[in-house]
Amino acid sequence: MAFWLASAREGQETDWIQRFDPSFWTVNFPRPMMAAITTPAPDALRLDACFLTQGDLAGLIWESEDTLDHPLLSYATARDYSGTTLSFRWRSGGLIALDQTNGPTLTIEGRDAGGAARTWYVRLWNFASGSGEDAQITLNFSDVFGGWSRDFGMDPLYPADIDRMFISLVPNGYAAGSTTPLSTSANAWAELTNIRCTGQRAMLRIGNIFVPPHGLAMATAYDDSFNQTPARLLRSVRQLGYRGSILHYVGMSHFFQLTASGGSYLVGLSGDPLCLPARAWHGEFFAACKAWGYSPIASLSYEVLAAHCPSAWQQRAANGDPAMTGWSPPSALMSPANTAAMTWQKSVAAAFAQLLVDAGCAVRFQVGEPWWWVMSDGRICIYDDAAKAAFGGSPVAIPDLRADLTSAQTALLDQAGAMLAASTIALAGATRAVAQAAGVASETLLLTFVPTVLDPATPEARRANMPVGWASPAFDRLQVEDYDWLTAGADAQRQAAYQLVNDRLGYPPEQQDYLAGFVLLPSQTNQWRLIDQGIGEAREREAHEIFVWALPQVCRDGFVALPIAEDSNDMNAFDDVAYPLPLGLDTKISPSFSTSVTTTASGFERRNSLWSDAKLSFDVGPGIRSEQDLGVLLGFFRARRGPARGFRLCDPSDFSSNGMTDTPSASDQVLGTGDGVLANFPLVKRYGAVALGDDEAQLRRITRPRSGSVLVSVNGVAQASGWMLGAGGAVQFTTPPAAGAIVRAGFLFDVPVRFEQDRLDISGLTFLAGEAPSVPLIEVREAV
């Protein structure tokens, strides 16, 4: 399917919002405390916080520049607050009050009239009327000042150049900079209601596109979105065209209740596994999903931020090293053998299931990427104390999963797999029990990440990490994710993995979902093309549902999925047939580039080549020699519906990989160099390589090779088998060529073209008089 990476609005639909719209505030805070914001009414926002130390501080933030929303949906940057007034009713509980020292303070960051960076600390009590916990606050930014009062330390605000502002909120007993734990965790709240912005610049322009539904679903994660309101997230999901399910990973760092213990803050030591802010946020999120017609899926993994995971719960290698991910800070992997860890996991799953029930939703629950951790040196982490006890007390050592294994070692992996399967099924069962008690529908799903569990370097790892205990009907649906291989071009491994998953677990296509993505860094936006390819393949496999992972990356990179036209199976419809008439020697062939040329005042030129490859145009009219030819042309034109459908054309001057028209050989064109992973090598032809060198050659992508003409060699050795010609003119190897192997190919090819115009102007009189008609064709640039 088609997509677009939008970097900015260029004439798309916009609307207006009031500045300080509650949906667009954010929250931030230092770990290990937690806070979240919700929007109980269109003109109100609520912050819920859980403080753990005497020095904890939460900030309720308004940004002058929208850096979180999709470029087509963001609000306009507006740093000038001159003449603008913000008013709201303030109520709070569990916080130091407005009228007390260290009470709620508005910190404003910006620049003074001279452009120097400045920060103002505004005591909100100076602009309030009422009590310390229930007051009306009015801020006319042209009259706002920092400092304790008008009479003591007054610091007038320069309102015309503000970057952001935030209200600082601290618990009772606050001591700045202290890490001393509070005697018990302290829940607190603040509400801003009847929020109004008046005066000058009170409204902000905001993007208001609505992408038509395109058949894809969205994935989100609480760890990435805890600082935003549910309303803001769902606005993006809806207006970017995503429908159906929302797969929501509850995360590994922000949802849980923590308790101070021996200098650390650990999970599993309190009655409620969820902290109050996470409860409030997810309650509103699930209810909004229901109201907007979405079906949320709560996803829970076996990961917990390592700093908060009890030591005994962690998976460990044989030498005692804990299993930790490479994230910073790292997360720990909980052992399926540890009863306390799994009991806590089931309580978390049940808590989220009950939140779904309370919101009126079906209980849909995903176990996300459960596995025994395998370290980079091949050690598998199945040797924590609980696991060793479950495996007989002294299980056989497996120092390296990449080596050949004995029967005793593979038997241990089978045991580990059975234990993992049992723990995941029990976890899903905890959510089914909640659904049954409430009398609502339920569904359980399992997500597997095939590049890890089916890594060819550790072929026996599947015994432990894709156990046969997961086979259908253990779960209602299976979900598959493959982005590491997808973005690395490991297509042979991907295709083999799909087949192995089908054979091993037995879920039919209508019971499988596909997770597409993700793009880790902003510098990797080229990966969206590969992700789109994966989406297309999933459609062809008839996957039940396709999720884009995840919303933060979609917004950051401006990804826009475009719907497939209803009246066509392909937006660039193409009939794989050849133009039926021979081309005469007087056929006009015109290659063209697009070059921007700017002449400076001194007469020098600056040239910018906008296309990397030429685009051809033809006039095939001179090839029509008879009335019979004319009839063939008219019939072919009608069958293509004019320019609506493309077709093949043989360019008589250039149709071979060898020179222009010579017989091809298997060594004509270098397609690439193997790396042991890449199995897909697109056909290309170089022009000017002899004169300019390969680095300066003009590269042409060949998408329409002639069937049966393609010859392939690897390191100079012709390959009669072990590969196939894929769609779009790409050589696909069954086994990826070895690292350093040079892949070459030879071929004959046609040009994909279409009729340039909706009409053909042919006069019988001029034709009989020997005048050739004009039949212009234009090359189709195919997306591959």
Side-chain angles (χ1 to χ4, degrees), residues 177-228:
S178 174
T179 58
T180 302
L182 297 170
S183 56
T184 60
S185 60
N187 291 326
W189 60 274
E191 282 190 349
L192 281 63
T193 58
N194 197 29
I195 298 173
R196 296 287 184 270
C197 184
T198 57
Q200 300 178 39
R201 306 172 184 87
M203 304 296 288
L204 297 177
R205 189 176 290 277
I206 189 169
N208 195 39
I209 64 150
F210 277 86
V211 177
H214 39 58
L216 301 180
M218 176 51 68
T220 63
Y222 188 52
D223 289 348
D224 295 327
S225 56
F226 67 88
N227 62 325
Q228 301 179 58

Side-chain angles (χ1 to χ4, degrees), residues 83-160:
T84 304
T85 297
L86 167 65
S87 63
F88 53 87
R89 181 185 179 186
W90 170 275
R91 291 186 299 160
S92 63
L95 303 170
I96 292 183
L98 288 166
D99 57 346
Q100 302 297 308
T101 302
N102 293 323
T105 299
L106 178 65
T107 300
I108 301 178
E109 299 173 340
R111 280 156 293 279
D112 62 19
R118 280 292 314 276
T119 301
W120 293 266
Y121 301 98
V122 180
R123 189 177 182 225
L124 286 180
W125 182 244
N126 289 328
F127 303 90
S129 60
S131 70
E133 292 187 330
D134 189 346
Q136 180 67 31
I137 295 177
T138 302
L139 298 165
N140 180 346
F141 288 95
S142 292
D143 191 42
V144 164
F145 59 88
W148 182 254
S149 68
R150 290 186 184 274
D151 301 323
F152 185 77
M154 180 178 176
D155 183 13
L157 170 71
Y158 179 68

